[in-house]
Amino acid sequence: MTLAPSLTTLDALQPGQSATVIHLAPTGQQGVGDVQRRLMELGFVPGERIRVLKRVMGGPLAVKVGESTFALRRFEAALVSIKPE
């Protein structure tokens, strides 16, 4: 018997934790399509390994994707479904 992997969103990851991107939220909401496209252009694509470097209380997250580091707003991070490592 195999248990399904636990999925969460990037905004729930703590500093120092790594994860793999599973998918981005559907673009059904108005304005989400532009954000989703931006995230994909930055490298948040399925299968990509990411790591949270820093969280600012009530503010953005510093996230490492590949060799690059980006600051994401909480609502942007909430669009990225991940599998924590």
Side-chain angles (χ1 to χ4, degrees):
M1 177 199 255
T2 304
L3 298 176
S6 61
L7 297 181
T8 188
T9 54
L10 179 54
D11 62 319
L13 214 58
Q14 296 300 313
Q17 288 186 303
S18 297
T20 302
V21 175
I22 302 301
H23 64 84
L24 299 179
T27 60
Q29 299 171 342
Q30 186 174 358
V32 173
D34 293 337
V35 175
Q36 183 186 43
R37 185 174 37 257
R38 177 179 169 265
L39 289 171
M40 291 181 75
E41 289 171 352
L42 293 175
F44 292 87
V45 294
E48 187 65 41
R49 188 168 181 265
I50 58 177
R51 181 177 179 169
V52 173
L53 302 176
K54 186 173 182 177
R55 292 173 64 106
V56 177
M57 183 174 282
L61 286 77
V63 183
K64 186 168 184 81
V65 179
E67 297 298 317
S68 302
T69 302
F70 301 100
L72 294 182
R73 294 172 282 193
R74 301 264 176 184
F75 86 89
E76 293 170 325
L79 297 175
V80 182
S81 293
I82 58 168
K83 177 184 170 194
E85 296 179 355

